[in-house]
Amino acid sequence: MAKAPQTAITPTRAEDYPEWYQQVVRAADLAELSSVRGCMVIKPWGYALWENIQRALDQMFKDTGHVNAYFPLFIPLSYLEKEAAHVDGFAKECAVVTHHRLEAGPDGRLVPTGKLEEPLVVRPTSETIIGATYAKWVKSYRDLPILINQWANVVRWELRTRMFLRTTEFLWQEGHTAHATSDEAVEETKKMLGVYATFAQDYMAMPVIRGEKTAGERFPGAVNTYSIEAMMQDRKALQAGTSHFLGQNFSKAQEIKYLSAEGREEFAWTTSWGVSTRLIGALIMTHSDDDGLVLPPRLAPQHVVILPIHRNDEEAGPVLEYCHKLRAELSAQRYDDAPVRALVDTRDIPRADKKWQQIKRGVPIVIEVGPRDIAGDTLMPKRRDDKSGEKKAAISRGQLVSTIGAELAAMQRGLFERAAAERQANTRTITNLADFESYFTPANAERPEVHGGFAICHFVETPETAAILAKHKVTIRCIPLADEPGFEEQVSGKCVFTGQETKQRGVFAKAY
Amino acid sequence: MAKAPQTAITPTRAEDYPEWYQQVVRAADLAELSSVRGCMVIKPWGYALWENIQRALDQMFKDTGHVNAYFPLFIPLSYLEKEAAHVDGFAKECAVVTHHRLEAGPDGRLVPTGKLEEPLVVRPTSETIIGATYAKWVKSYRDLPILINQWANVVRWELRTRMFLRTTEFLWQEGHTAHATSDEAVEETKKMLGVYATFAQDYMAMPVIRGEKTAGERFPGAVNTYSIEAMMQDRKALQAGTSHFLGQNFSKAQEIKYLSAEGREEFAWTTSWGVSTRLIGALIMTHSDDDGLVLPPRLAPQHVVILPIHRNDEEAGPVLEYCHKLRAELSAQRYDDAPVRALVDTRDIPRADKKWQQIKRGVPIVIEVGPRDIAGDTLMPKRRDDKSGEKKAAISRGQLVSTIGAELAAMQRGLFERAAAERQANTRTITNLADFESYFTPANAERPEVHGGFAICHFVETPETAAILAKHKVTIRCIPLADEPGFEEQVSGKCVFTGQETKQRGVFAKAY
């Protein structure tokens, strides 16, 4: 019997996908649960990844005319009450501040005192507090548009949490814009959806479908919600970013009014859009393997890690010298309009541990350097996404250095192509209910993740449709935009669930 | 009678300094109070300034070996209770989360429900929650040092708030490090104080004194607290950054233990250090004038703003074309290792308003461009710190472009020199109590800010000393470090308050 190949992560994806995910987060040193319920500690390697995500997105926001600002963490209860649908969606599970002081009680333990007249909610999202501010800023059509983004922490009291995917506190950005016309606000909503799609594909190497949410999946208070949807390796969908056209719902609730050029008093049209540390969860589940994290080079905190190998102090001198020289040469190369990020890992821990740690952390290229490599001035770089298992021929140091940028670019491209092929292989157009039901029924009850994947179906939203979807725990992820590849042509067909003729097609999947 | 010159800010610094400050914050569009008690909205111009401060500091932290991470917003009450001195200092005025749900009450209004078993405190600072995490991370001496920084929001329930200087919620960074030895931790504490001093002087153009705090002014739970102290234009001191050597106080409370190379179990030695959005308050009060904000070029969101002047559409075309070309030429120049940040302000608002707005916002260089300037291809840049009131000769466009970097550098230097001269003019060595008391007694009761400034005195901390200081509302700002210019030589003298002979000298001032 062939021995199963050893993997760094236990269990493997095939054995237990959800647990594999938690183990990758841990093994890659990305984050850990804190002792505060549902809150995580984002560790340096995970935070460096978030910093790279932030930097790229922030530049894209600025390039599309947005500026950053900062609004209060706390929202007065009365603000939340102003927009009825919004209350229903968000007021339920919030952290509520009721006191502003702690004093020693009779037993010496601290007790909350100084009760607030009006409780404050820790922001679950900031439409209401930002809207109230815009109402003060906007007087004339000349004050519009307002194009502001905020990087912030938000809190939603979640019952079941999973690191990066769903935590009580998380980090995100929330764009909030106000416009003079509905058309302009809709255009902004779609533009930012496009920014998210570009970021997901170009930086995260993660293919996404841009689409509109159905009524039942809209952001509480929105007129339309758009999202980007990605397929994870367990074939489930993950909503990776949302952009909302809020119409005049919030501007009416918050009284964001302006005097038009014609002298009429009008309500502004607003949008909001956001992505969060959830993107890191998406990144992990798109590319990682049974040896741990795999990072797309454009977002990797380090591109290359050099591991010096020496058995004694005598060897250490020349090896370290060579490694530092190599690092300097690599850092002088450019990738993605910036110097290559290279590091020599000189930590005093066992060689194998060190190597596996860098693999589990997803470093794109790892190079071991020992006396024999130095003697030949040739090296054997190991690319993290190379799953061939074949031993590659050594290449000269000069060649390694001069091709490093191209190698990173090839890996970035390769990751995207692999994910796109994977998605394509697990996406099917389905035209009848029997196929739909069997597509979403796992063949093996112990491995519920092994099902079809994405289904493209004509559909009409009816109670019948909803019942069938609920039965299979499948959701309508989105109605793809008309310029989404494969959906450019409007074709008519029969609703898989009701048999009604319709032009509406949706992407159906189990989802996070 | 000569007419008083008109100023953009009312009142002027001489008329009402505290109110002048508020008006500068408002006129420069930096921030405004929100409807949430004590919390401010940081507006785009103010936030862009904070982003520049962050970027520069973050690089300095990374250059000194630190990495960023993120820890939970909430601290369980029991954590705060672990370090006795820390509780006394911080547990008093905090935002306390007691419930995690909102439900409609009998009158339809939302009420907090879902009472937490243990209340959570919104972090006023993170020593306890980070310490608890480090206790899990540290096992062996090989795990040390831990050199981590966090960019975050914190909340301290302040009774009297002033924008940027003291607000309920504020943004800051907090460094938290753990070391194997006391010496290493002390070195870290002083190194980061040095980083803050370098940043204040080189970026903010704000001279500071590095020193140690006396026992009464220490951070709750610290063994030693160091600070940088700056003089504002009202001669009061502002503590602009602090660095704390925490000894083993927190590591004992949180059980941060490690096995030494010799196999002994030891407690780690920890430090913490922070600066906040208060720096923006310091910046305003160091450089601004009666026309509003004055920004040091290294931190200014825009270096140059170009104002097109045209009376009609016919003039507009060539003027805008010239302005955009000028902007492109300026942006191709470099200052401070990056492209010059230049902008054409094309907003449709009256010309005078636009110009004054840019002046009030502290833009280093403003250039008006009209048809006559274009005809001669000469321009009259106005440097924000030029208070001569003289009309300067126009310079050719080519010269303006080629010297822009030098001009910005000259302004940066000029601001520092002016502030340093101002501080020197208002600092005095005082050797007897009568001089001390008259130095800190305002000549005019209506203008309490007009007093001596900084006093350098020999002193011994006694109840007598404290009583005299309290009477005059003067505090010991710090005991300057031995390598602080002017303090290198240890000279003995008589304590101004008690007459005792001592080598200890302090900086005394009224303070923010």
Side-chain angles (χ1 to χ4, degrees):
Chain A
M1 206 178 83
K3 202 177 143 197
Q6 273 211 322
T7 61
I9 304 297
T10 312
T12 63
R13 286 164 292 179
E15 286 161 0
D16 184 344
Y17 192 86
E19 181 58 23
W20 163 84
Y21 173 80
Q22 302 286 359
Q23 292 305 324
V24 171
V25 171
R26 179 204 289 227
D29 253 343
L30 292 172
E32 66 185 31
L33 282 176
S34 75
S35 42
V36 185
R37 207 191 135 288
C39 293
M40 64 178 176
V41 172
I42 306 180
K43 297 175 80 172
W45 189 251
Y47 197 82
L49 186 52
W50 179 241
E51 285 180 292
N52 287 346
I53 290 173
Q54 280 191 300
R55 192 174 303 118
L57 278 172
D58 196 68
Q59 192 57 54
M60 293 172 91
F61 299 157
K62 284 173 179 160
D63 289 346
T64 44
H66 302 85
V67 288
N68 290 327
Y70 189 78
F71 297 86
L73 171 68
F74 299 127
I75 301 178
L77 205 50
S78 58
Y79 279 37
L80 269 194
E81 288 172 332
K82 283 188 188 168
E83 217 290 329
H86 193 65
V87 173
D88 283 351
F90 278 106
K92 282 178 193 135
E93 300 295 333
C94 289
V96 190
V97 175
T98 55
H99 296 74
H100 68 82
R101 191 178 300 138
L102 292 167
E103 285 176 291
D107 61 352
R109 299 293 305 275
L110 292 174
V111 287
T113 61
K115 193 172 179 202
L116 297 176
E117 268 182 46
E118 181 178 11
L120 296 171
V121 174
V122 180
R123 61 180 164 220
T125 181
S126 303
E127 277 73 10
T128 56
I129 184 91
I130 294 182
T133 311
Y134 286 2
K136 289 193 277 176
W137 291 355
V138 174
K139 295 196 165 52
S140 137
Y141 69 96
R142 287 197 180 85
D143 301 322
L144 296 171
I146 297 181
L147 304 171
I148 286 181
N149 174 61
Q150 163 170 279
W151 291 97
N153 53 345
V154 285
V155 172
R156 298 176 188 176
W157 209 266
E158 301 283 356
L159 267 180
R160 294 188 53 197
T161 59
R162 212 176 324 184
M163 283 189 285
F164 292 115
L165 295 175
R166 197 177 295 279
T167 50
T168 296
E169 181 191 12
F170 57 93
L171 302 182
W172 80 343
Q173 62 67 217
E174 46 183 326
H176 294 272
T177 70
H179 306 262
T181 67
S182 170
D183 282 357
E184 204 184 296
V186 169
E187 192 193 324
E188 166 80 8
T189 310
K190 292 191 179 168
K191 181 196 288 176
M192 299 323 290
L193 187 75
V195 164
Y196 290 155
T198 302
F199 174 78
Q201 309 205 151
D202 292 358
Y203 284 85
M204 298 175 66
M206 180 174 81
V208 294
I209 297 172
R210 292 164 302 137
E212 187 178 339
K213 288 284 184 188
T214 54
E217 300 276 334
R218 269 180 212 139
F219 175 79
V223 173
N224 297 108
T225 285
Y226 299 86
S227 71
I228 53 170
E229 301 283 334
M231 183 187 283
M232 303 294 99
Q233 291 181 72
D234 61 354
R235 305 178 195 178
K236 281 165 80 171
L238 187 137
Q239 174 180 301
T242 50
S243 186
H244 316 291
F245 170 57
L246 305 175
Q248 296 180 313
N249 293 348
F250 282 87
S251 70
K252 282 181 177 163
Q254 306 284 348
E255 306 214 327
I256 311 177
K257 286 185 284 195
Y258 72 94
L259 213 58
S260 73
E262 295 76 32
R264 277 197 310 272
E265 186 163 82
E266 308 268 11
F267 285 106
W269 301 80
T270 67
T271 84
S272 67
W273 29 274
V275 297
S276 72
T277 35
R278 190 170 216 228
L279 287 179
I280 295 178
L283 190 73
I284 296 167
M285 289 203 291
T286 301
H287 301 300
S288 300
D289 63 20
D290 296 335
D291 285 335
L293 188 63
V294 176
L295 284 172
R298 290 189 86 175
L299 295 175
Q302 295 293 341
H303 292 132
V304 183
V305 170
I306 302 164
L307 305 175
I309 300 173
H310 42 80
R311 284 161 303 184
N312 51 48
D313 286 357
E314 198 187 327
E315 281 182 7
V319 166
L320 286 172
E321 194 188 333
Y322 186 96
C323 288
H324 287 297
K325 190 166 154 254
L326 176 61
R327 192 206 68 81
E329 287 175 346
L330 289 168
S331 304
Q333 297 295 310
R334 292 179 76 80
Y335 166 64
D336 197 21
D337 285 334
V340 166
R341 300 186 279 268
L343 177 91
V344 182
D345 184 350
T346 56
R347 288 172 305 156
D348 177 22
I349 56 172
R351 172 182 159 182
D353 292 359
K354 203 191 277 194
K355 182 180 172 189
W356 276 107
Q357 196 182 87
Q358 299 297 355
I359 289 171
K360 288 186 286 186
R361 286 155 66 105
V363 173
I365 294 172
V366 172
I367 312 171
E368 289 184 299
V369 177
R372 257 185 301 175
D373 305 292
I374 298 178
D377 204 17
T378 55
L379 298 158
M380 282 206 285
K382 174 88 178 112
R383 219 171 90 176
R384 182 62 183 84
D385 64 333
D386 176 12
K387 293 171 196 198
S388 65
E390 286 163 28
K391 214 174 163 84
K392 290 282 193 307
I395 60 169
S396 75
R397 177 176 48 82
Q399 201 191 339
L400 166 71
V401 170
S402 66
T403 59
I404 192 74
E407 195 68 22
L408 291 166
M411 175 166 168
Q412 178 80 29
R413 205 167 44 243
L415 289 179
F416 179 81
E417 283 164 6
R418 186 176 309 192
E422 186 84 4
R423 187 183 71 177
Q424 196 174 8
N426 295 295
T427 299
R428 219 177 100 193
T429 297
I430 289 179
T431 54
N432 68 73
L433 189 55
D435 284 358
F436 185 91
E437 296 202 299
S438 92
Y439 190 71
F440 285 111
T441 304
N444 177 345
E446 278 180 23
R447 294 196 47 205
E449 75 276 18
V450 184
H451 62 271
F454 282 9
I456 312 293
C457 307
H458 278 96
F459 79 104
V460 179
E461 263 191 299
T462 69
E464 247 173 295
T465 310
I468 297 167
L469 294 177
K471 179 180 151 202
H472 292 279
K473 291 186 182 148
V474 169
T475 49
I476 312 172
R477 300 316 303 153
C478 67
I479 300 159
L481 296 192
D483 62 345
E484 190 60 33
F487 294 86
E488 296 95 337
E489 216 177 323
Q490 278 237 327
V491 281
S492 202
K494 278 203 164 52
C495 168
V496 165
F497 312 99
T498 62
Q500 292 175 47
E501 195 70 18
T502 176
K503 286 188 170 167
Q504 181 170 263
R505 278 182 297 176
V507 176
F508 293 78
K510 293 173 186 279
Y512 280 92
Chain B
M1 209 175 83
K3 203 177 144 197
Q6 273 211 322
T7 62
I9 304 297
T10 309
T12 62
R13 287 164 290 180
E15 285 161 1
D16 183 344
Y17 193 86
E19 181 58 23
W20 164 84
Y21 173 79
Q22 303 286 2
Q23 292 304 324
V24 171
V25 170
R26 176 204 291 226
D29 253 342
L30 293 172
E32 65 185 32
L33 282 176
S34 76
S35 42
V36 185
R37 207 190 137 289
C39 292
M40 63 177 175
V41 172
I42 306 181
K43 298 175 80 171
W45 189 250
Y47 198 82
L49 187 52
W50 180 240
E51 286 180 291
N52 287 346
I53 290 172
Q54 281 191 300
R55 192 174 303 120
L57 278 171
D58 196 69
Q59 193 55 55
M60 292 172 93
F61 298 156
K62 285 173 177 159
D63 289 346
T64 45
H66 302 86
V67 288
N68 290 327
Y70 189 77
F71 298 85
L73 172 67
F74 299 127
I75 301 178
L77 206 50
S78 57
Y79 280 36
L80 267 194
E81 288 172 331
K82 283 188 187 167
E83 216 291 331
H86 194 64
V87 173
D88 283 351
F90 278 105
K92 283 179 193 135
E93 300 294 334
C94 289
V96 190
V97 175
T98 55
H99 295 73
H100 67 83
R101 192 178 300 137
L102 291 168
E103 284 177 292
D107 61 352
R109 300 293 304 274
L110 294 174
V111 287
T113 61
K115 194 174 178 199
L116 298 176
E117 268 182 46
E118 181 180 11
L120 296 171
V121 175
V122 180
R123 64 182 160 218
T125 180
S126 302
E127 276 74 11
T128 57
I129 184 91
I130 294 183
T133 312
Y134 286 2
K136 288 193 278 175
W137 291 354
V138 174
K139 296 197 164 50
S140 136
Y141 70 96
R142 286 196 181 85
D143 301 322
L144 295 172
I146 297 181
L147 303 172
I148 285 182
N149 175 60
Q150 161 170 280
W151 291 97
N153 53 345
V154 285
V155 171
R156 299 177 187 174
W157 208 267
E158 301 284 357
L159 266 179
R160 294 188 53 194
T161 58
R162 212 172 329 181
M163 282 190 285
F164 291 114
L165 296 175
R166 194 178 297 279
T167 49
T168 295
E169 181 191 12
F170 58 93
L171 303 181
W172 81 343
Q173 60 68 219
E174 46 182 327
H176 294 272
T177 70
H179 307 263
T181 66
S182 170
D183 282 358
E184 204 184 296
V186 168
E187 192 192 323
E188 166 80 9
T189 310
K190 290 189 180 169
K191 183 198 284 174
M192 299 322 290
L193 186 75
V195 164
Y196 290 155
T198 301
F199 175 77
Q201 308 204 151
D202 292 358
Y203 284 85
M204 298 176 66
M206 180 174 81
V208 294
I209 298 172
R210 291 164 303 138
E212 187 179 341
K213 288 283 185 187
T214 55
E217 301 276 333
R218 268 180 212 139
F219 176 79
V223 173
N224 296 109
T225 285
Y226 298 86
S227 71
I228 53 169
E229 301 283 334
M231 182 187 283
M232 303 294 99
Q233 290 182 71
D234 61 354
R235 305 178 193 179
K236 281 165 81 170
L238 187 137
Q239 174 180 302
T242 49
S243 187
H244 315 291
F245 170 57
L246 305 175
Q248 295 179 314
N249 293 347
F250 283 86
S251 69
K252 284 181 177 163
Q254 306 284 349
E255 306 215 325
I256 311 176
K257 287 185 283 195
Y258 72 94
L259 214 59
S260 73
E262 295 76 32
R264 276 197 311 272
E265 187 164 81
E266 308 266 12
F267 285 105
W269 302 79
T270 67
T271 84
S272 68
W273 30 273
V275 296
S276 72
T277 34
R278 190 170 217 228
L279 287 179
I280 295 178
L283 191 74
I284 296 167
M285 289 204 290
T286 301
H287 301 301
S288 300
D289 62 21
D290 297 336
D291 285 335
L293 188 62
V294 176
L295 285 172
R298 292 190 85 176
L299 295 175
Q302 296 293 343
H303 293 132
V304 183
V305 170
I306 301 164
L307 305 176
I309 300 172
H310 42 81
R311 284 161 304 183
N312 50 48
D313 286 356
E314 198 187 330
E315 282 181 6
V319 165
L320 287 173
E321 193 187 334
Y322 187 95
C323 288
H324 288 296
K325 189 166 155 254
L326 175 62
R327 192 206 68 80
E329 287 175 344
L330 288 169
S331 304
Q333 297 294 309
R334 291 180 77 80
Y335 166 64
D336 198 20
D337 286 333
V340 166
R341 301 187 278 269
L343 178 91
V344 182
D345 184 349
T346 55
R347 287 173 304 158
D348 178 23
I349 57 171
R351 171 183 161 183
D353 291 0
K354 203 190 276 193
K355 182 179 171 187
W356 276 106
Q357 195 183 86
Q358 300 296 355
I359 289 171
K360 287 186 288 186
R361 286 154 68 104
V363 172
I365 294 172
V366 172
I367 311 171
E368 289 183 300
V369 177
R372 256 183 302 175
D373 305 290
I374 299 177
D377 203 17
T378 55
L379 298 158
M380 283 207 283
K382 174 85 179 117
R383 219 171 90 176
R384 182 63 182 85
D385 65 331
D386 176 12
K387 293 173 196 197
S388 66
E390 287 164 27
K391 211 168 165 84
K392 291 279 194 307
I395 61 169
S396 75
R397 178 177 47 81
Q399 201 192 340
L400 166 70
V401 170
S402 65
T403 58
I404 193 73
E407 195 67 23
L408 291 166
M411 177 168 166
Q412 179 79 28
R413 203 166 48 241
L415 289 180
F416 180 80
E417 282 164 6
R418 188 178 306 191
E422 186 84 4
R423 187 182 71 176
Q424 194 175 10
N426 295 293
T427 300
R428 221 176 99 192
T429 297
I430 289 179
T431 54
N432 68 73
L433 189 56
D435 283 357
F436 185 92
E437 296 203 296
S438 90
Y439 190 71
F440 284 110
T441 304
N444 178 344
E446 279 182 23
R447 296 200 42 209
E449 75 275 16
V450 184
H451 63 271
F454 282 10
I456 312 294
C457 308
H458 278 95
F459 79 105
V460 179
E461 262 192 298
T462 68
E464 249 173 292
T465 309
I468 296 167
L469 294 178
K471 178 180 151 200
H472 291 280
K473 292 184 182 149
V474 169
T475 49
I476 312 173
R477 300 316 304 157
C478 69
I479 301 160
L481 296 192
D483 61 346
E484 189 59 34
F487 294 85
E488 297 94 338
E489 217 179 323
Q490 278 239 325
V491 282
S492 201
K494 278 200 164 56
C495 166
V496 165
F497 311 98
T498 63
Q500 293 174 45
E501 196 70 18
T502 177
K503 283 187 173 167
Q504 179 170 267
R505 278 181 298 175
V507 176
F508 293 78
K510 292 172 186 280
Y512 278 92

